[in-house]
Amino acid sequence: MQASPPPPPLRRKRRALDWPTALLIAIVVSAAGFVYWRDGSARFFDVVWSDADLFAWMLPNVLAGCLIAALITVLLPRDTIVRWVGKDSGFRGILISAAAGIIVPGGPFTIYPIAAAFIGMGADAAAVVTLITSWTTIGLSRSLVWELPFLGFDFVAWRWLAALPLAVLAGLIARAIERHWRAKAKT
């Protein structure tokens, strides 16, 4: 008889306007007011249109990253994610996340929606920290396209050798901090 999959993690309900969003809005409005006061309306509207162009360029990339993350949640069963990189995956989950971070292609538009999808599917926060750190510090696609042609195999090999422990260490530190907070919350 097969064991039933673990229940999905409880997600706290989020309001449309929470304090980080309100703080960000306050900073943006303050900065916009300062630019308008200091440089005048012509410069203010120049900045607004420039930011609108940047937003229009980024939006399809963000949507594509979110689509990839949504497809991952459909293609990978939740119980597999929990078993491989969940809270009880131990050191093996950290190593799997480090390996996944190495091979995940794309930029921040891809990795952060994937990381959010993994957390939503029950991955351990430490495993996601390892995934992002490994992607940032090692990244196979970046190494093959940029580093290897310009800097050579020896440099890439030494950098990988130095960076791989950093990703694992980041995950272990995140796990220790998370356990400490959980233990403190219980007392």
Side-chain angles (χ1 to χ4, degrees), residues 16-136:
L17 184 66
D18 53 3
W19 72 266
T21 306
L23 179 64
L24 187 59
I25 290 170
I27 291 169
V28 167
V29 168
S30 299
F34 179 73
V35 168
Y36 188 84
W37 170 76
R38 188 187 66 188
D39 298 335
S41 64
R43 178 69 180 140
F44 173 79
F45 285 111
D46 184 41
V47 170
V48 167
W49 294 127
S50 174
D51 288 349
D53 284 343
L54 179 63
F55 179 77
W57 176 82
M58 286 177 60
L59 186 62
N61 294 312
V62 172
L63 291 176
C66 291
L67 179 64
I68 291 168
L71 289 174
I72 285 173
T73 63
V74 171
L75 295 174
L76 292 176
R78 179 183 297 271
D79 59 331
T80 302
I81 295 296
V82 170
R83 186 175 60 247
W84 285 358
V85 292
K87 292 191 185 336
D88 297 327
S89 64
F91 188 67
R92 178 181 53 100
I94 298 286
L95 292 177
I96 290 170
S97 296
I102 291 170
I103 63 172
V104 171
F109 300 116
T110 307
I111 191 70
Y112 293 111
I114 289 173
F118 278 1
I119 286 177
M121 292 173 66
D124 185 23
V128 174
V129 166
T130 306
L131 174 85
I132 293 172
T133 306
S134 177
W135 169 81
T136 303

